[in-house]
Amino acid sequence: AQSVTQLDSQVPVFEEAPVELRCNYSSSVSVYLFWYVQYPNQGLQLLLKYLSGSTLVKGINGFEAEFNKSQTSFHLRKPSVHISDTAEYFCAVSDGVPNDYKLSFGAGTTVTVRA
Amino acid sequence: NAGVTQTPKFRVLKTGQSMTLLCAQDMNHEYMYWYRQDPGMGLRLIHYSVGEGTTAKGEVPDGYNVSRLKKQNFLLGLESAAPSQTSVYFCASSPSVVIEKLFFGSGTQLSVL
């Protein structure tokens, strides 16, 4: 089974500054990778996903992530954050077929954007 | 467009009491999941179902039971609640064998005293 490590538990950042959230996963033959966001008192929403193809993935709200197979990483970035990006962010990984229907989540990174 | 609905949203139990959490989805999804969310630990899979009438254990199944008698519903039961089961519980569903997107409910906050 996969495991996911989010290297930062809390990331404070000023408005309009860039942010990077780091995610590493344990090695496997093939994986699917995801970033989810949880706004206060809500369920999780999908930000972006990597299933195959281009290693640079663009998601909603200006976020992007890069899949690096050799470093088993899937870091999330945004060039300029807004107050509304304050949330908890979860990296998740799914084993490839035939166990691709189960996700393993990281512990989460809390992003706090300050004016 | 309801999506995934969880009931109740909040509940306080005493140690030893039992309860059932209900998850309902109206998207005709085959796969359904129950997760618990604890501070610093992210989401951990309790049980899941790959179709009506099927259930399987996830990462942390002890103390919980589940049933999927109807495709749209996935029930999570606590037979004898313990303080260690204080958590936020999320239900999710997915349409296909390749997880492209999980659809989450808004969560149930459970406190066991």
Side-chain angles (χ1 to χ4, degrees), chain A residues 38 88 90 106-108, chain B residues 35-44 46 60 64 83-90 110:
Chain A
Q38 184 181 29
E88 191 160 17
F90 293 94
Chain B
Y35 288 91
R36 60 177 290 174
Q37 183 182 25
D38 302 291
M41 303 188 75
L43 276 75
R44 292 180 291 169
I46 305 171
V60 288
Y64 305 95
S84 60
Q85 294 177 304
T86 293
S87 187
V88 180
Y89 292 86
F90 286 99
L110 175 66

Side-chain angles (χ1 to χ4, degrees), chain B residues 31-57:
Chain B
Y31 298 82
M32 297 187 75
Y33 310 81
W34 276 107
Y35 288 91
R36 60 177 290 174
Q37 183 182 25
D38 302 291
M41 303 188 75
L43 276 75
R44 292 180 291 169
L45 183 63
I46 305 171
H47 286 281
Y48 64 98
S49 168
V50 300
E52 181 178 316
T54 73
T55 63
K57 294 180 179 180

